[in-house]
Amino acid sequence: MTDTKQKTALYKRMLLIRRFEEKAAQMYGLRKIGGFCHLYIGQEAVATGAIGALDLKRDYIVAAYRDHGHALASGMDPKAVMAELYGKVTGCSKGKGGSMHMFDIEKHMFGGNGIVGSQIPVATGVGLKIRYREEDGVVLCFFGDGAIHQGAFHESLNLAKIYGLPVVYICENNQYGMGTDFRRVSAVDDFSVMAASYGIEGRQIDGMDVITVHENVKEIVEKARTEHLPSLLEIKTYRYKGHSMSDPAKYRTREELEDYKERDPILILKKGLLEDGVQASDLEAWDKEAKKLSEEAASFAEESPEPEIEALYSDILA
Amino acid sequence: MAKIAFREAIRQAIEEEMRRDDSVLLMGEEVAQYNGAYKVTQGLLETFGSKRVIDTPITEEGFTGMGIGAAMAGLRPIVEWMTFNFSLMAIDQVISNAAKTRYMSGGQFKIPMVIRGPNGPAEFLASQHSQALQSFYAHIPGLKVVAPSTPYDAKGLLKSAIRDDNPVIFLEAELMYSWEGEVPAEEYLIDLDKADVKRAGKDVTLIAHSKPVRMMLQAAEKLAEEGIEAEVIDLRSLRPIDTETIYKSVRKTNRCVVVDEAWPVASVGSHIGFLVGRDCFDYLDAPVQLVSGEDVPMPYNHRLELAAQPSVEKVVRAAKSVLYVD
Ligand SMILES: Cc1ncc(C[n+]2csc(CCOP(=O)(O)OP(=O)(O)O)c2C)c(N)n1
C-alpha cells in the first residue's frame, strides 16, 4: 500500500507538472515558446504514478511527443525542460529537440518521439538490452490511443513476448487522437484485451487516480522484473486542453470536460491526503513551491543564451 | 592471400567483431537457424548461440527500431535487412530515430549500429524486388552510408562500421555475394570516409560505388585498348563523400563520368555531378556525364531489365562523349 509519504511525493510531482505546464502555456501565449506544444494537463496521474514505480538506476522510460509530464516525473530538472521548450542551449537537448524531444540519458529518459508509435519498437530494443545484459531493469513505454493501431505496436508486442522482454506498454488512453474520438477508429474499446493476442497480461486502469496507477504499475513492474515478460496497460485518462496549443477542441462537449475535471487527479489525491491528516497549510505550501519552481524555470529559460550558430553542425555524428 | 567470396568476407567481419566485443549482436529475418537468406550469416548461430544471433519475425519496422533502442542503451547491434527492398517498411525508424536521436537529444545519445543487407538490381525480380535505394539513405544527415565493391573492402569497411559509434547503413549488392577477391588473414580496418582509386589514369575520371565499380574497371580496360587511360574511383562511402579524392582526380583528367545504379533524380550520382560541376568548373573540359539506372521501375523482362541498368558499353560511350571522340 502506498503510504502518506509516498502519496506526498506523488502529489508534489503532479503539482509540479500542472504548474509547469500552466507556465509553459502562458509563455507559449507570449510567443516565448514555439512550434507544437502538447500539454499533459489532466493526465498527470499517469506519468507520475507509473514512473514513480520505477527505479531509474536500472529502469527506463520511452515516451511520445506529449512528454513534458514524463520528463518531470522522471526527475529531470524543470529548468532544463523549460529551457528546451524555449530552444535554449541550456535545454536538456541543447535546444535541438524542443517540446516533443525531451531526453535525459542520466535519468534513463529516452525521449520524446514525434512520430506516432515510432517509440514503441525503440522501447522494445531497450528491453532487449536489459535481457541481453541479464539485468533486472524494466522499460515503461508510453503512447497514446492513436498509436495503438500502428503496425509498430503489434510488431513490438509480439517481439517482446517471443524474446521475453521486460517492457510495460502503456497506452495512455486520453480518448482522443487529435480530433478523433478513439471509439470511431478502434475495433475494440477496451485495449487491454489486445494483450491476449500476444499471450501477455493486459489491464485496464483508471488513470485519474494516481494511487491506482501507481499500485498497478508497481505490481506489473515487479512481475516484469522477475518474470521478464511484457505486459500491456490501458490507462484511461483525459486531457483538459486541446491536442496542441492550436486546437480549440471543439470535437468534445463542455460537459464531458467538466465531468473529468470533477475527477481531477490532483483534487482526488488532495482529498486523500487531507483524510490522512495532512495539514491544508502544507498543501498550500507545496503548491507555492511548484509555482516557484515553474517561475524559476521560466526565468532560467528566459535568461539562457541561444545556441551558437555553429551548433547547427554539431551532434550529427558521434 | 586467400581468395574468398564477398559473402564470406562479410561473415568474417561479423564473426571477428562479435568475438572481440560482446556487445555486438546480430538480428534479422532468417539470420540464425536458416544461416541467412543469402547465406551471409552461415554458422554464426552455432558459434554464438541464439542470444547473440537472433531470428526475428517479418517485422522490419519493429526489429529495426528494436536495434535502435538497443543501441541507445549501449549494445552494438547489427541489423540485417533481408533486402533493402523491405527496408522501406523500416524507413521511419531509420530516418526518425536512428539518424535523429543524437541531434534531437543534444548529443546525449550514440546509436552504434549497423544496418546491412543486399541492395540494388537483381535478376528477373521485377520492380518491387530489384531497385537501388541508396539515395534514400544517402539523403539523411545523421547516418553514415557505406557501399563496398570488393570482398577486401567489404570486410575492412564492415569491421570499421561495427566499431563506429554512429548508425551505418551498409549496402551489399545482391549480385555480388559470390564475387571472389583476395582478403588477408590478418586483421585490417578501412576508413569509412575515404574513396579509393581502383585504377590510375590521366584521361578521364570514372566514379562509382558498389557493384558498378567492376563494370567501370572493365570499361577502363576497353578504353585502354583505344589508348584512353581512365582513372577509376570507388566512392566506398556515400555519406560522407570524399570530395578531396574526386576533385584531385578530376583536376588531373579534366573529364568526369559518374555511374550510379539508382534512378537519376536526386541521387548520389547527380549530387556528385553537381559537386564536380561547382568545384572543378575551371578544370572541366566537358560537362559531367551521369550513367544511371533508367528513370523507370525495373521491368521483369530480361532484355528490358538489362537496358534499364548501367553497362560497360554505356560507360565506355559516356567516357568517349566527355572526351569528344566518336
Ligand atoms: C505517424 C504519424 N502520423 C500522424 C501524425 C500526426 N499526429 C500527431 S499527434 C496525432 C494524434 C495522436 O493521438 P494519440 O496517439 O492518442 O496521442 P495523444 O495526442 O492523445 O497523447 C497525430 C495524428 C504523427 N505525428 N505521426
Coordinates of all heavy atoms in Angstrom, one line a residue, chain A residues 92-94 96-97 101 103-106 109-110 113 115 118-119 121-122 124-126 128-129 131-134 151-152 155-156 158-159 162-163 165 311-318, chain B residues 22-25 27 51-52 54-57 59-63 65-66 68-70 72-73 75 92-93 96-97 101-110 141-144 165-166:
Chain A
C92 N 17.5 20.5 -22.0 CA 18.0 19.1 -21.9 C 18.6 18.6 -23.2 O 19.4 17.7 -23.2 CB 16.9 18.2 -21.3 SG 15.4 18.2 -22.3
S93 N 18.1 19.0 -24.3 CA 18.6 18.6 -25.6 C 19.3 19.7 -26.3 O 19.3 19.8 -27.5 CB 17.5 18.0 -26.4 OG 16.9 16.9 -25.8
K94 N 19.8 20.6 -25.5 CA 20.6 21.8 -26.0 C 19.8 22.7 -27.0 O 20.3 23.3 -27.9 CB 21.9 21.4 -26.7 CG 22.9 20.7 -25.8 CD 24.2 20.5 -26.5 CE 25.0 19.4 -26.0 NZ 25.9 18.8 -27.0
K96 N 17.8 21.6 -29.3 CA 17.7 20.9 -30.6 C 16.5 20.0 -30.7 O 16.3 19.4 -31.7 CB 19.0 20.2 -30.9 CG 20.1 21.1 -31.3 CD 21.3 20.3 -31.7 CE 22.3 21.1 -32.5 NZ 23.5 20.4 -32.7
G97 N 15.9 19.8 -29.5 CA 14.8 18.8 -29.6 C 13.4 19.5 -29.4 O 12.5 19.2 -30.1
H101 N 10.8 16.4 -27.8 CA 12.1 15.6 -27.7 C 12.8 15.8 -26.5 O 14.0 16.3 -26.5 CB 12.9 15.8 -29.0 CG 12.2 15.5 -30.2 ND1 11.8 14.2 -30.6 CD2 11.8 16.3 -31.2 CE1 11.1 14.3 -31.7 NE2 11.1 15.6 -32.1
F103 N 15.0 14.6 -23.7 CA 15.9 13.4 -23.4 C 16.7 13.7 -22.2 O 17.2 14.8 -22.0 CB 16.8 13.2 -24.6 CG 16.2 12.7 -25.9 CD1 15.8 13.5 -26.9 CD2 16.1 11.3 -26.1 CE1 15.2 13.1 -28.0 CE2 15.6 10.8 -27.3 CZ 15.1 11.7 -28.3
D104 N 17.0 12.7 -21.4 CA 18.0 12.8 -20.4 C 18.6 11.4 -20.1 O 17.9 10.5 -19.5 CB 17.3 13.3 -19.1 CG 18.4 13.6 -18.0 OD1 19.5 13.0 -18.0 OD2 18.1 14.5 -17.2
I105 N 19.7 11.2 -20.7 CA 20.3 9.9 -20.6 C 20.6 9.4 -19.2 O 20.5 8.3 -18.9 CB 21.6 9.9 -21.5 CG1 22.0 8.4 -21.8 CG2 22.7 10.7 -20.9 CD1 23.0 8.3 -23.0
E106 N 21.0 10.4 -18.3 CA 21.3 10.1 -16.9 C 20.0 9.5 -16.2 O 20.1 8.6 -15.4 CB 21.7 11.3 -16.2 CG 23.0 11.9 -16.7 CD 24.2 11.0 -16.5 OE1 24.3 10.5 -15.3 OE2 25.0 10.8 -17.4
M109 N 15.8 8.6 -19.4 CA 14.6 9.1 -20.1 C 15.0 9.2 -21.6 O 15.8 10.0 -22.0 CB 14.2 10.5 -19.6 CG 13.2 11.3 -20.5 SD 11.7 10.4 -20.7 CE 10.8 11.7 -21.7
F110 N 14.5 8.2 -22.4 CA 14.9 8.0 -23.8 C 14.0 8.7 -24.8 O 13.8 8.2 -25.9 CB 15.1 6.5 -24.1 CG 16.4 5.9 -23.6 CD1 16.9 6.3 -22.4 CD2 17.0 4.9 -24.3 CE1 18.1 5.8 -21.9 CE2 18.2 4.3 -23.9 CZ 18.8 4.8 -22.7
N113 N 9.2 11.3 -28.7 CA 9.2 10.9 -30.1 C 8.0 11.5 -30.8 O 6.9 11.3 -30.5 CB 9.2 9.4 -30.2 CG 9.8 8.9 -31.5 OD1 9.3 9.4 -32.6 ND2 10.7 8.0 -31.5
I115 N 6.9 11.0 -33.9 CA 6.2 10.2 -34.9 C 5.3 9.2 -34.1 O 5.8 8.5 -33.2 CB 7.1 9.4 -35.8 CG1 8.2 10.3 -36.4 CG2 6.4 8.6 -36.8 CD1 7.6 11.3 -37.3
S118 N 6.3 5.5 -33.1 CA 7.6 5.3 -33.5 C 8.5 4.9 -32.3 O 9.5 4.2 -32.5 CB 8.2 6.5 -34.2 OG 9.4 6.3 -34.9
Q119 N 8.1 5.3 -31.1 CA 9.0 5.0 -30.0 C 8.7 3.5 -29.5 O 9.5 3.0 -28.7 CB 8.6 5.9 -28.8 CG 7.3 5.7 -28.1 CD 6.1 6.3 -28.9 OE1 6.2 6.6 -30.1 NE2 5.1 6.6 -28.1
P121 N 8.8 0.4 -31.0 CA 9.9 -0.5 -31.2 C 11.2 -0.1 -30.5 O 12.0 -1.0 -30.1 CB 10.2 -0.4 -32.8 CG 8.9 0.1 -33.3 CD 8.3 1.0 -32.2
V122 N 11.5 1.2 -30.4 CA 12.7 1.6 -29.7 C 12.7 1.1 -28.2 O 13.7 0.6 -27.7 CB 12.8 3.1 -29.7 CG1 14.0 3.6 -28.9 CG2 13.0 3.6 -31.2
T124 N 11.2 -1.4 -27.1 CA 11.4 -2.8 -27.2 C 12.8 -3.2 -27.2 O 13.3 -4.1 -26.6 CB 10.6 -3.4 -28.4 OG1 9.3 -2.9 -28.4 CG2 10.6 -4.9 -28.4
G125 N 13.6 -2.3 -27.9 CA 15.0 -2.5 -28.0 C 15.8 -2.3 -26.7 O 16.7 -2.9 -26.4
V126 N 15.3 -1.3 -26.0 CA 15.9 -1.1 -24.7 C 15.6 -2.3 -23.8 O 16.5 -2.7 -23.1 CB 15.3 0.2 -24.0 CG1 15.9 0.4 -22.6 CG2 15.6 1.4 -24.9
L128 N 15.4 -5.3 -25.0 CA 16.4 -6.3 -25.5 C 17.7 -6.2 -24.8 O 18.3 -7.1 -24.4 CB 16.5 -6.2 -27.0 CG 17.5 -7.2 -27.6 CD1 16.8 -8.6 -27.7 CD2 17.8 -6.8 -29.0
K129 N 18.2 -4.9 -24.6 CA 19.4 -4.7 -24.0 C 19.4 -5.2 -22.5 O 20.4 -5.8 -22.1 CB 19.8 -3.2 -24.0 CG 21.0 -2.8 -23.2 CD 20.6 -2.2 -21.8 CE 21.8 -1.8 -21.0 NZ 21.4 -1.3 -19.7
R131 N 17.7 -7.6 -21.3 CA 17.7 -9.1 -21.3 C 19.1 -9.6 -21.7 O 19.7 -10.5 -21.1 CB 16.7 -9.7 -22.2 CG 15.3 -9.6 -21.7 CD 15.2 -10.4 -20.4 NE 15.0 -11.8 -20.6 CZ 15.4 -12.8 -19.8 NH1 16.1 -12.5 -18.7 NH2 15.2 -14.0 -20.1
Y132 N 19.7 -8.9 -22.7 CA 21.0 -9.3 -23.2 C 22.0 -9.2 -22.1 O 22.9 -10.1 -22.0 CB 21.3 -8.3 -24.4 CG 22.6 -8.7 -25.1 CD1 22.5 -9.7 -26.1 CD2 23.8 -8.1 -24.9 CE1 23.6 -10.0 -26.9 CE2 24.9 -8.5 -25.6 CZ 24.8 -9.4 -26.6 OH 25.9 -9.8 -27.3
R133 N 21.9 -8.2 -21.3 CA 22.9 -8.0 -20.2 C 22.5 -8.7 -18.9 O 23.1 -8.5 -17.9 CB 23.1 -6.5 -20.0 CG 23.9 -5.7 -21.1 CD 25.3 -6.2 -21.1 NE 26.0 -5.5 -22.2 CZ 27.0 -6.1 -22.9 NH1 27.4 -7.3 -22.6 NH2 27.6 -5.4 -23.8
E134 N 21.4 -9.4 -19.0 CA 20.8 -10.1 -17.9 C 20.7 -9.2 -16.7 O 21.0 -9.6 -15.5 CB 21.7 -11.3 -17.6 CG 21.6 -12.4 -18.7 CD 22.6 -13.5 -18.6 OE1 23.1 -13.7 -17.5 OE2 22.9 -14.1 -19.6
G151 N 1.2 -0.6 -36.9 CA 1.9 -1.9 -37.0 C 3.0 -2.0 -36.0 O 3.2 -3.1 -35.5
A152 N 3.7 -0.9 -35.8 CA 4.8 -0.9 -34.9 C 4.5 -1.4 -33.5 O 5.2 -2.1 -32.9 CB 5.5 0.5 -34.8
E155 N 3.8 -5.3 -33.9 CA 5.1 -5.9 -34.1 C 5.9 -6.0 -32.8 O 6.5 -7.0 -32.4 CB 5.9 -5.2 -35.1 CG 5.3 -5.2 -36.5 CD 6.1 -4.5 -37.6 OE1 7.3 -4.2 -37.3 OE2 5.6 -4.3 -38.7
S156 N 5.9 -4.9 -32.0 CA 6.6 -4.8 -30.8 C 6.2 -5.8 -29.7 O 7.0 -6.4 -29.1 CB 6.6 -3.4 -30.3 OG 7.3 -2.6 -31.2
N158 N 4.6 -8.5 -30.1 CA 5.0 -9.9 -30.5 C 6.5 -10.1 -30.2 O 6.9 -11.2 -29.7 CB 4.7 -10.1 -32.0 CG 4.8 -11.6 -32.4 OD1 4.2 -12.4 -31.9 ND2 5.7 -11.8 -33.3
L159 N 7.3 -9.2 -30.6 CA 8.7 -9.3 -30.4 C 9.1 -9.4 -28.9 O 9.8 -10.3 -28.5 CB 9.5 -8.1 -31.0 CG 9.5 -8.0 -32.5 CD1 10.0 -6.6 -32.9 CD2 10.5 -9.0 -33.1
I162 N 8.1 -12.9 -27.7 CA 8.9 -14.1 -28.1 C 10.3 -14.0 -27.5 O 11.0 -15.1 -27.3 CB 9.0 -14.3 -29.6 CG1 9.6 -13.1 -30.3 CG2 7.6 -14.6 -30.2 CD1 9.8 -13.2 -31.8
Y163 N 10.8 -12.8 -27.2 CA 12.2 -12.7 -26.6 C 12.1 -12.5 -25.1 O 13.2 -12.4 -24.5 CB 13.0 -11.6 -27.2 CG 13.1 -11.7 -28.7 CD1 12.9 -10.5 -29.5 CD2 13.4 -12.9 -29.4 CE1 13.0 -10.6 -30.9 CE2 13.5 -12.9 -30.8 CZ 13.3 -11.8 -31.5 OH 13.4 -11.9 -32.9
L165 N 10.9 -9.9 -23.2 CA 11.5 -8.6 -22.8 C 10.6 -7.9 -21.7 O 9.4 -7.8 -21.8 CB 11.6 -7.7 -24.1 CG 12.3 -8.3 -25.2 CD1 12.4 -7.3 -26.4 CD2 13.7 -8.8 -24.8
A311 N 26.4 25.5 -33.6 CA 25.8 24.2 -33.1 C 25.0 23.5 -34.2 O 24.6 22.4 -34.1 CB 24.9 24.6 -31.9
L312 N 24.7 24.3 -35.2 CA 23.9 23.7 -36.3 C 24.5 22.4 -36.8 O 23.8 21.5 -37.1 CB 23.9 24.8 -37.5 CG 23.0 24.5 -38.7 CD1 21.5 24.5 -38.2 CD2 23.2 25.7 -39.7
Y313 N 25.8 22.4 -36.8 CA 26.5 21.2 -37.4 C 27.1 20.3 -36.3 O 27.8 19.4 -36.6 CB 27.6 21.7 -38.4 CG 27.0 22.0 -39.7 CD1 26.7 23.3 -40.1 CD2 26.8 21.0 -40.6 CE1 26.1 23.6 -41.3 CE2 26.2 21.2 -41.8 CZ 25.9 22.5 -42.2 OH 25.3 22.8 -43.4
S314 N 26.7 20.5 -35.1 CA 27.3 19.6 -34.1 C 26.2 18.6 -33.7 O 25.0 18.8 -33.9 CB 27.7 20.4 -32.8 OG 26.6 21.0 -32.2
D315 N 26.7 17.5 -33.1 CA 25.8 16.4 -32.6 C 25.1 15.7 -33.8 O 24.0 15.1 -33.6 CB 24.7 16.9 -31.6 CG 25.3 17.6 -30.4 OD1 26.4 17.1 -30.0 OD2 24.8 18.6 -29.9
I316 N 25.6 15.7 -35.0 CA 25.1 15.0 -36.1 C 25.6 13.6 -36.0 O 24.9 12.6 -36.1 CB 25.3 15.6 -37.4 CG1 24.6 17.0 -37.5 CG2 24.8 14.7 -38.5 CD1 24.9 17.8 -38.7
L317 N 26.9 13.5 -35.9 CA 27.6 12.2 -35.7 C 28.4 12.1 -34.4 O 28.8 13.1 -33.9 CB 28.5 11.9 -36.9 CG 27.8 11.7 -38.3 CD1 28.8 11.6 -39.4 CD2 26.9 10.5 -38.3
A318 N 28.5 10.9 -33.9 CA 29.3 10.7 -32.7 C 30.8 10.9 -33.0 O 31.2 10.6 -34.0 CB 29.0 9.4 -32.1
Chain B
D22 N 31.5 -8.3 -26.9 CA 30.3 -9.0 -26.6 C 29.1 -8.1 -26.6 O 28.0 -8.6 -26.5 CB 30.4 -9.8 -25.3 CG 30.1 -8.9 -24.1 OD1 30.2 -7.6 -24.2 OD2 29.8 -9.4 -23.0
S23 N 29.2 -6.8 -26.9 CA 28.0 -6.0 -27.1 C 27.5 -6.1 -28.5 O 26.5 -5.5 -28.9 CB 28.3 -4.6 -26.7 OG 29.4 -4.0 -27.4
V24 N 28.3 -6.7 -29.4 CA 27.8 -6.9 -30.8 C 26.9 -8.1 -30.9 O 27.2 -9.2 -30.4 CB 29.0 -7.0 -31.7 CG1 28.6 -7.2 -33.2 CG2 30.0 -5.8 -31.6
L25 N 25.8 -7.8 -31.5 CA 24.8 -8.9 -31.7 C 24.2 -8.8 -33.1 O 24.3 -7.7 -33.7 CB 23.8 -9.0 -30.6 CG 22.8 -7.9 -30.5 CD1 21.5 -8.4 -29.7 CD2 23.4 -6.7 -29.7
M27 N 20.8 -9.4 -35.6 CA 19.4 -9.8 -35.7 C 18.8 -9.6 -37.1 O 19.2 -8.7 -37.8 CB 18.6 -9.1 -34.6 CG 18.6 -7.6 -34.7 SD 17.5 -6.9 -33.5 CE 18.7 -6.2 -32.4
K51 N 21.3 -16.2 -28.2 CA 21.2 -14.9 -27.5 C 21.8 -13.8 -28.4 O 21.4 -12.6 -28.3 CB 22.0 -15.0 -26.2 CG 22.0 -13.7 -25.4 CD 22.8 -13.8 -24.1 CE 23.1 -12.4 -23.6 NZ 24.2 -12.4 -22.6
R52 N 22.8 -14.1 -29.2 CA 23.5 -13.1 -29.9 C 23.3 -13.1 -31.4 O 23.6 -12.2 -32.2 CB 25.1 -13.2 -29.7 CG 25.4 -13.0 -28.2 CD 26.9 -13.0 -28.0 NE 27.5 -11.9 -28.6 CZ 28.8 -11.8 -28.8 NH1 29.6 -12.7 -28.4 NH2 29.3 -10.7 -29.4
I54 N 20.0 -13.6 -33.6 CA 18.6 -13.6 -33.2 C 17.7 -13.6 -34.5 O 17.7 -12.7 -35.3 CB 18.2 -12.4 -32.4 CG1 19.1 -12.3 -31.1 CG2 16.7 -12.4 -32.0 CD1 18.9 -11.0 -30.3
D55 N 16.9 -14.7 -34.6 CA 15.9 -14.7 -35.7 C 14.7 -13.8 -35.3 O 14.2 -13.9 -34.2 CB 15.4 -16.1 -35.9 CG 16.2 -17.0 -36.8 OD1 16.8 -16.4 -37.7 OD2 16.3 -18.2 -36.6
T56 N 14.3 -13.0 -36.2 CA 13.1 -12.1 -35.9 C 12.0 -12.5 -36.8 O 12.2 -13.1 -37.9 CB 13.4 -10.6 -36.3 OG1 13.6 -10.5 -37.7 CG2 14.7 -10.1 -35.5
P57 N 10.8 -12.1 -36.4 CA 9.7 -12.3 -37.4 C 9.8 -11.2 -38.5 O 10.7 -10.4 -38.5 CB 8.4 -12.1 -36.5 CG 8.9 -11.4 -35.2 CD 10.4 -11.7 -35.1
T59 N 9.1 -8.2 -39.5 CA 8.7 -7.0 -38.9 C 9.8 -6.0 -39.0 O 10.3 -5.5 -38.0 CB 8.4 -7.2 -37.4 OG1 9.6 -7.9 -36.8 CG2 7.2 -8.2 -37.2
E60 N 10.0 -5.5 -40.2 CA 11.2 -4.6 -40.5 C 11.1 -3.4 -39.6 O 12.1 -3.0 -39.0 CB 11.2 -4.2 -41.9 CG 11.8 -5.2 -42.9 CD 10.9 -6.4 -43.1 OE1 9.7 -6.3 -42.8 OE2 11.4 -7.4 -43.7
E61 N 9.9 -2.8 -39.4 CA 9.8 -1.6 -38.6 C 10.1 -2.0 -37.2 O 10.9 -1.3 -36.5 CB 8.4 -1.0 -38.8 CG 8.3 0.3 -38.0 CD 7.0 1.0 -38.2 OE1 6.1 0.4 -38.7 OE2 6.9 2.2 -37.7
G62 N 9.5 -3.0 -36.7 CA 9.7 -3.5 -35.3 C 11.1 -3.8 -35.0 O 11.7 -3.3 -34.0
F63 N 11.8 -4.7 -35.8 CA 13.1 -5.1 -35.4 C 14.2 -4.0 -35.7 O 15.2 -4.0 -35.0 CB 13.5 -6.5 -35.8 CG 13.7 -6.7 -37.3 CD1 14.9 -6.2 -37.9 CD2 12.9 -7.4 -38.1 CE1 15.2 -6.4 -39.2 CE2 13.1 -7.6 -39.5 CZ 14.3 -7.1 -40.0
G65 N 13.6 -0.8 -35.3 CA 13.5 0.1 -34.2 C 14.1 -0.6 -32.9 O 14.7 0.1 -32.1
M66 N 13.9 -1.9 -32.8 CA 14.4 -2.6 -31.6 C 16.0 -2.5 -31.6 O 16.6 -2.3 -30.6 CB 14.0 -4.0 -31.7 CG 14.3 -4.8 -30.5 SD 13.4 -6.4 -30.4 CE 14.4 -7.4 -31.5
I68 N 17.6 0.0 -32.8 CA 18.0 1.4 -32.4 C 17.9 1.6 -30.9 O 18.8 2.1 -30.3 CB 17.0 2.4 -33.1 CG1 17.2 2.3 -34.7 CG2 17.2 3.8 -32.6 CD1 16.1 2.9 -35.5
G69 N 16.8 1.0 -30.3 CA 16.7 1.1 -28.9 C 17.8 0.4 -28.1 O 18.4 1.0 -27.2
A70 N 18.2 -0.7 -28.7 CA 19.3 -1.5 -28.0 C 20.6 -0.7 -28.2 O 21.4 -0.6 -27.2 CB 19.4 -2.8 -28.7
M72 N 20.8 2.6 -28.4 CA 20.7 3.8 -27.5 C 21.1 3.4 -26.1 O 21.7 4.1 -25.3 CB 19.3 4.3 -27.4 CG 18.9 5.1 -28.6 SD 17.1 5.6 -28.6 CE 17.1 6.9 -27.3
A73 N 20.7 2.1 -25.8 CA 21.0 1.6 -24.4 C 22.4 1.0 -24.3 O 22.7 0.5 -23.2 CB 19.9 0.6 -24.0
L75 N 24.2 -1.4 -26.5 CA 24.6 -2.5 -27.3 C 25.1 -2.0 -28.7 O 24.9 -0.9 -29.1 CB 23.5 -3.6 -27.4 CG 23.0 -4.2 -26.1 CD1 22.0 -5.2 -26.4 CD2 24.2 -4.7 -25.3
D92 N 10.9 4.8 -41.5 CA 10.6 5.7 -40.4 C 11.5 5.6 -39.3 O 12.0 6.5 -38.7 CB 9.1 5.5 -39.9 CG 8.9 6.1 -38.5 OD1 9.2 7.4 -38.5 OD2 8.6 5.4 -37.6
Q93 N 11.8 4.3 -38.9 CA 12.7 4.1 -37.8 C 14.1 4.6 -38.1 O 14.8 5.2 -37.3 CB 12.8 2.6 -37.4 CG 11.6 2.1 -36.7 CD 11.3 2.7 -35.4 OE1 12.2 3.1 -34.7 NE2 10.1 2.9 -35.1
S96 N 13.6 8.8 -38.6 CA 13.1 9.5 -37.4 C 13.9 9.2 -36.2 O 14.0 10.1 -35.3 CB 11.6 9.1 -37.2 OG 10.8 9.5 -38.3
N97 N 14.4 8.0 -36.1 CA 15.1 7.6 -34.8 C 16.6 7.4 -35.0 O 17.4 8.0 -34.3 CB 14.4 6.4 -34.2 CG 13.0 6.7 -33.8 OD1 12.7 7.9 -33.5 ND2 12.2 5.8 -33.7
T101 N 18.2 10.9 -33.4 CA 18.1 10.9 -31.9 C 19.3 11.6 -31.3 O 19.2 12.4 -30.3 CB 18.0 9.5 -31.3 OG1 16.8 8.9 -31.8 CG2 18.1 9.4 -29.8
R102 N 20.5 11.4 -31.9 CA 21.7 12.1 -31.4 C 21.5 13.6 -31.4 O 21.7 14.3 -30.4 CB 22.9 11.7 -32.2 CG 24.1 12.4 -31.6 CD 25.4 11.9 -32.1 NE 26.5 12.5 -31.4 CZ 26.9 12.2 -30.2 NH1 26.4 11.3 -29.5 NH2 27.9 12.9 -29.6
Y103 N 21.0 14.1 -32.6 CA 20.8 15.6 -32.7 C 19.8 16.1 -31.8 O 20.0 17.1 -31.1 CB 20.5 15.8 -34.2 CG 20.7 17.2 -34.7 CD1 22.0 17.7 -34.9 CD2 19.7 18.1 -34.9 CE1 22.3 19.0 -35.4 CE2 19.9 19.4 -35.4 CZ 21.2 19.8 -35.6 OH 21.5 21.1 -36.1
M104 N 18.6 15.4 -31.8 CA 17.5 15.9 -31.0 C 17.7 15.8 -29.5 O 17.1 16.5 -28.7 CB 16.2 15.0 -31.3 CG 15.7 15.2 -32.7 SD 14.1 14.5 -33.0 CE 14.4 12.8 -32.3
S105 N 18.7 15.0 -29.1 CA 19.0 14.9 -27.7 C 20.2 15.8 -27.3 O 20.7 15.6 -26.2 CB 19.2 13.4 -27.3 OG 20.5 13.0 -27.9
G106 N 20.6 16.6 -28.2 CA 21.7 17.5 -27.9 C 23.0 16.7 -27.7 O 23.8 17.1 -26.9
G107 N 23.1 15.6 -28.4 CA 24.4 14.8 -28.4 C 24.4 13.8 -27.2 O 25.5 13.2 -27.0
Q108 N 23.3 13.7 -26.5 CA 23.4 12.7 -25.3 C 23.5 11.3 -25.8 O 24.2 10.5 -25.1 CB 22.1 12.9 -24.5 CG 22.0 14.2 -23.8 CD 20.8 14.2 -22.9 OE1 20.8 13.6 -21.9 NE2 19.8 14.9 -23.3
F109 N 22.9 10.9 -26.9 CA 22.9 9.5 -27.2 C 23.8 9.2 -28.4 O 23.9 10.1 -29.3 CB 21.4 9.1 -27.6 CG 20.6 9.0 -26.4 CD1 19.9 10.0 -25.9 CD2 20.5 7.7 -25.7 CE1 19.1 9.9 -24.7 CE2 19.7 7.6 -24.6 CZ 19.0 8.7 -24.1
K110 N 24.3 8.0 -28.4 CA 25.0 7.5 -29.6 C 24.2 6.3 -30.1 O 23.5 5.6 -29.3 CB 26.4 6.9 -29.2 CG 27.4 8.0 -28.8 CD 28.8 7.4 -28.6 CE 28.9 6.5 -27.4 NZ 30.2 6.4 -26.9
P141 N 21.1 13.3 -43.1 CA 22.2 13.6 -42.1 C 22.0 12.8 -40.9 O 20.8 12.6 -40.4 CB 22.0 15.1 -41.9 CG 20.7 15.4 -42.3 CD 20.2 14.4 -43.4
G142 N 23.0 12.4 -40.3 CA 22.9 11.5 -39.1 C 23.2 10.1 -39.3 O 23.3 9.3 -38.4
L143 N 23.3 9.7 -40.6 CA 23.7 8.4 -41.0 C 25.1 8.4 -41.7 O 25.5 9.4 -42.2 CB 22.7 7.8 -42.0 CG 21.2 7.7 -41.6 CD1 20.5 7.1 -42.8 CD2 21.1 6.8 -40.4
K144 N 25.8 7.3 -41.6 CA 26.9 7.0 -42.5 C 26.4 6.0 -43.5 O 25.6 5.1 -43.1 CB 28.1 6.5 -41.7 CG 28.7 7.6 -40.8 CD 30.0 7.2 -40.3 CE 30.7 8.3 -39.4 NZ 32.0 7.9 -38.9
D165 N 30.6 4.6 -33.8 CA 29.5 4.9 -32.8 C 28.3 5.5 -33.5 O 27.4 6.1 -32.8 CB 30.1 5.9 -31.8 CG 30.9 5.2 -30.7 OD1 30.7 3.9 -30.6 OD2 31.7 5.8 -30.0
N166 N 28.2 5.5 -34.8 CA 27.0 6.0 -35.5 C 26.2 5.0 -36.2 O 26.7 3.9 -36.5 CB 27.5 7.1 -36.5 CG 28.2 8.2 -35.8 OD1 27.6 9.0 -35.2 ND2 29.6 8.2 -36.0

